[in-house]
Structures are given as structure tokens and as C-alpha cells.
Amino acid sequence: MKRRTASAPTSVAPAPAAAPPESGARRQILDAAAYLLRNRGYEAATTRAIATAVGIKGGSIYHHFPSKDAIVGEVVNEGVRVVYDAVEKALNALPTRAPPRRRLEAAIKAHLLSSLEHSNYTSASIRAFAFLPDSVRKGCRIERRRYEALWTQLVSELYQAGLIDPNISPESVRLLLLGALNWAGEWYRPERMGIDDIARDFAASILRAK
Amino acid sequence: MKRRTASAPTSVAPAPAAAPPESGARRQILDAAAYLLRNRGYEAATTRAIATAVGIKGGSIYHHFPSKDAIVGEVVNEGVRVVYDAVEKALNALPTRAPPRRRLEAAIKAHLLSSLEHSNYTSASIRAFAFLPDSVRKGCRIERRRYEALWTQLVSELYQAGLIDPNISPESVRLLLLGALNWAGEWYRPERMGIDDIARDFAASILRAK
DNA sequence: CGCACTCCCTAGCGCTTGTTAGGTTACGCG
DNA sequence: CGCGTAACCTAACAAGCGCTAGGGAGTGCG
């Protein structure tokens, strides 16, 4: 009974990062949990379902994680970290002194790409967050605040550039924008409208015509 | 053992509507289910939890409803109907030929009031919808489409009034707006910002300065 | 070889889920 | 009074949940 699952060779230094080798199975469990959390929610992401998706039996999960909530917590936290990195990277890739509206478009696009196409972790941390147990939610408050701060900063740039009516509260603008982005997972169908188009329209919608 | 639960008198024509008397208990069950669906999601809204909230035992639910999903379906459907009615009523209460931006503000305010303050049914149908079983979701597709159509109409009025850049897709504007509104339940705290303020800011954000 | 360790399995614990069958109580009506 | 029915309860069913104890392969190292 060989239960090899296309594993990487363990002999020739397979770990490119500084972190511990991650063991393969751990990553697979997190991936499966992220997928289930995204598509079916917290309660439906059972330990047995996760195990089956990985190709092991229910009890074996506990060799890699101390509890279900530890898995969920790790997924949600990584989800926020992934969008954060994606948006930050997209902004840094822009030429210095790029106009704020370009920066906004790039940030929107990066957020949507993460949550809709690239990462089950990000979409899981958005969609499943509402009904997570409090213990898990507390575990990613700092990460979430950090991400919010990134957008607060971005929005304030828009005000300074005169692209938003100063009578509107910046808090409102940030909540409007992030709300619309986070909800996109509920209606997005790639064949109907591309992410580039959505990002352009969303950015244009909240900016004053120059 | 008197299990009277502050019931209305059944002798002097208690039913003001044309619908059947609704029996009291039925309504209480739906109310409890809506509350649990809003605050803890589909799986946590167990038949026993609903029954306990009403003051009866788990099995007795099935005297009033054929299944859990029948309850959930009814709650979600009513939730959409309630926002629809609220928005429609708010629009009709406006003076004829009220400016489109006033109509937008009124619609936003009505949606937020329903989903944040007035109706557990509406907030349940928004928050819990994502992970509902497919059978339940299909049961309120018509109602949801009808509500979307209302907003499509409203957005098109804004375009005709020249309040939105015609280069932006109307579909994008509707999705941006409804997304932001539906997500508001995740961050809204009445002591931080009033619904009137949110509605004004949201409306102003997507309208071109006149 | 023997030991330690990683990885996984089997079997089951105690509990909860949606749902049902059958019985009990209370009340309105003829 | 007697009957029917609505409203509720008890008790249980099979299934599923998170989680654990204990065991058995395989591997690397001394």
C-alpha cells in the first residue's frame, strides 16, 4: 500500500525557504481546509472531509495539527497575509510617483486577483470569517487591522490628490470600497467580466472626474 | 404545566391580514431561526436551538414545518421581500420628480435600515446566504432577481441624469453599491456612525459632483 | 542489530445533528 | 358529555461531529 502523493524528493534539500520543511502533508491539509472553508463554510469543513481530500484518514489530521481550529486559524491568517502581500507588492511595482488613481486601480486589482483567482486562503478568510468561532477570529485581528491600515493610507492619498470630495468621510470611502471588494466573491463569474474591467470601473466610480 | 407564550386572543378576529392566522408559534419559530441564521449561520441554527428559543422541545418543530430547510427557505425569502418592500416604499414616499440623487440616498438608507436595524430576516438572507444548501438558494432566486432589477432601474436613472460617468458599466456600479451595502453588516456599529451618514457618504461617493 | 522517530491507521469515546413514531394534554364544537 | 384536532412531549434512530488512545509500518542512525 503505497500512499505516496507525488511528493517532492526529501534527499536533495527540498526546502527553498528558511522556514521548516513544512513536510508536504501540512501544506496539503491547509490547502484542503482553505478550499472547503471557501466553498462550504466553517462547519462543513470537517476534519474528516479535510483528511479525505488529502488522502488520509480522519484521525491522522491530529498528527499535524492540535485541533481543527488551529487549522482554520492558520488558513485565515495566511489568507489575510496573502492579500496584504499582493497589494503591497502591486503598489511597489508601480513607478515612483505614479498617480494615485493608478495606485488605486492596482490595489483593487491585486485584492480581487487574490480573493477571486489566486488564493483559496484569501477567499476563505473573507467568506467564512463571519461565522468563525470567536477564538479563531481573535487570532487574526492584528493581521486584519494591518490590512485595513494599508487601505486607510491609500484612501488618504486619494484625498490629498483631490480625487475625492473632502465632504465625504474617508472611513466611509474605505468601507464602501473594501465592502464591494469583499462581496465580489458572491457574484464574480470570470466569463462575464474580467478582473481588469471590474478594477477599472470600481476605481473610476469613486473618483471625481479630473 | 401552562405553556402559554403571551398569545394573542383568538376570539375577536386577531388576523388583520388576509393570510391565515399564522398561529403565533409559526411566527416565533421563524423569528428565532432568523436570529440564529443572522448571528451564527446555517449549521449553527439547529432545530433544537430554534425550538429552545421558542420555548418548546426539538421534535415539536415538526408540527409546524416539514423540515429545517423549509424554515430556512421561508426566512431567507421573507428577508429579501422585506428589503424589497422597504426600498420600494421609501422611493414611493419621495415627491414625484424628486432628484435621482435623493432617490439613491433614500434607497441606500432603506436597504441599510432593513439589514442592520429592522429585520433579522433581511440580515439572515444576506449573511447566511453564501453557505446555504443549493436547494434553499434556488428557492429564492426569483425574489433576489426581482430585487436586483429594482437597483438596475435605479442605477439607470442615475446615468440618465448624468450623475455617473457613462464610460463606467452600469452593472459595475450596481455591484459596487450592493456589495458595499451587503457587507455593511460585517462592520456596522450604531455608535460609530449613523445610517443616515453612511447613506449620504455612499451616495456621494459614486455620484459625480454636479 | 536495536532504538527512536515520523507518519498513518483502527476503533471508539461522548456528543450533537435532523428527523420520526407514538403518546399525552387541552380546548372548541356539536 | 364525547369527539376531533391542534399543540406539544418523550424517546429514540442513524449519521456525523471533534478528538484520542494505542498500535504498526517505514526510515535513519548509533
Side-chain angles (χ1 to χ4, degrees):
Chain A
M1 186 190 304
K2 49 202 66 171
R3 59 180 78 93
R4 204 127 298 280
T5 47
S7 71
T10 52
S11 50
V12 282
E22 187 66 284
S23 92
R26 246 187 91 89
R27 190 57 327 152
Q28 287 183 43
I29 289 171
L30 292 171
D31 285 351
Y35 176 86
L36 286 168
L37 280 172
R38 168 183 191 162
N39 295 303
R40 324 230 295 108
Y42 175 76
E43 323 256 359
T46 67
T47 55
R48 283 184 242 269
I50 295 171
T52 300
V54 177
I56 62 180
K57 294 302 172 66
S60 307
I61 289 276
Y62 291 83
H63 180 71
H64 303 279
F65 293 93
S67 72
K68 168 180 173 174
D69 283 355
I71 304 177
V72 175
E74 212 158 306
V75 166
V76 175
N77 242 299
E78 174 151 349
V80 183
R81 227 187 47 227
V82 167
V83 239
Y84 184 97
D85 290 349
V87 171
E88 194 187 38
K89 194 173 171 184
L91 289 176
N92 287 341
L94 257 36
T96 357
R97 310 227 175 264
R101 81 174 316 137
R102 284 260 180 285
R103 286 173 60 79
L104 176 64
E105 272 183 27
I108 291 176
K109 186 175 158 185
H111 180 111
L112 291 177
L113 274 175
S114 266
S115 70
L116 300 179
E117 299 281 2
H118 293 348
S119 173
N120 279 334
Y121 292 75
T122 296
S123 40
S125 77
I126 291 174
R127 293 194 84 197
F129 185 79
F131 300 127
L132 253 33
D134 288 346
S135 55
V136 177
R137 298 175 49 169
K138 277 179 185 149
C140 60
R141 277 232 303 261
I142 346 94
E143 211 84 31
R144 287 176 79 93
R145 286 215 210 287
R146 203 171 72 112
Y147 187 56
E148 288 174 15
L150 203 166
W151 282 90
T152 303
Q153 163 63 27
L154 191 59
V155 167
S156 94
E157 293 176 16
L158 300 173
Y159 276 82
Q160 283 163 27
L163 290 170
I164 297 183
D165 180 350
N167 293 321
I168 303 171
S169 153
E171 187 80 346
S172 294
V173 173
R174 201 205 76 214
L175 292 167
L176 170 78
L177 202 41
L178 272 177
L181 295 183
N182 285 336
W183 193 260
E186 309 300 324
W187 52 261
Y188 173 67
R189 298 291 174 273
E191 68 273 14
R192 264 199 346 210
M193 198 187 312
I195 286 184
D196 284 7
D197 297 328
I198 301 171
R200 185 172 23 80
D201 281 359
F202 277 17
S205 289
I206 67 156
L207 296 181
R208 282 210 288 213
K210 188 186 44 142
Chain B
M1 183 190 301
K2 48 202 67 170
R3 59 179 76 95
R4 203 125 300 280
T5 46
S7 72
T10 51
S11 50
V12 281
E22 186 67 285
S23 92
R26 246 188 90 90
R27 189 58 329 150
Q28 287 184 43
I29 290 172
L30 291 171
D31 285 352
Y35 176 87
L36 286 168
L37 278 172
R38 167 182 191 162
N39 294 304
R40 323 231 293 109
Y42 174 77
E43 324 256 0
T46 67
T47 56
R48 283 176 176 82
I50 295 170
T52 300
V54 177
I56 63 180
K57 294 302 173 66
S60 307
I61 290 277
Y62 290 82
H63 181 72
H64 303 279
F65 293 91
S67 72
K68 168 178 173 174
D69 283 355
I71 304 177
V72 175
E74 213 158 304
V75 167
V76 175
N77 242 298
E78 174 151 349
V80 182
R81 228 186 45 227
V82 167
V83 241
Y84 184 97
D85 290 350
V87 172
E88 195 187 38
K89 193 173 172 183
L91 289 176
N92 288 341
L94 257 36
T96 358
R97 310 226 175 265
R101 82 174 315 136
R102 285 257 180 286
R103 288 173 59 79
L104 176 64
E105 272 182 29
I108 291 176
K109 187 176 158 186
H111 180 111
L112 290 176
L113 275 175
S114 266
S115 69
L116 300 178
E117 299 281 1
H118 293 346
S119 172
N120 279 335
Y121 292 76
T122 296
S123 40
S125 77
I126 291 173
R127 290 194 86 198
F129 185 78
F131 301 126
L132 253 33
D134 288 345
S135 55
V136 178
R137 299 177 47 171
K138 277 180 184 151
C140 61
R141 276 230 307 258
I142 346 94
E143 212 84 32
R144 287 175 79 93
R145 287 214 210 285
R146 202 171 73 112
Y147 187 57
E148 288 174 16
L150 203 167
W151 281 91
T152 303
Q153 162 63 26
L154 191 59
V155 167
S156 93
E157 294 175 16
L158 300 173
Y159 277 81
Q160 283 162 28
L163 290 169
I164 296 182
D165 180 350
N167 293 322
I168 303 171
S169 153
E171 186 81 347
S172 293
V173 173
R174 202 205 75 214
L175 292 167
L176 169 79
L177 201 41
L178 273 177
L181 295 182
N182 285 336
W183 193 259
E186 308 300 323
W187 52 262
Y188 173 68
R189 297 291 174 272
E191 68 273 12
R192 264 200 344 211
M193 197 189 312
I195 287 183
D196 284 6
D197 297 328
I198 302 171
R200 186 173 23 78
D201 281 0
F202 276 19
S205 288
I206 68 155
L207 296 182
R208 281 211 288 213
K210 188 184 45 136

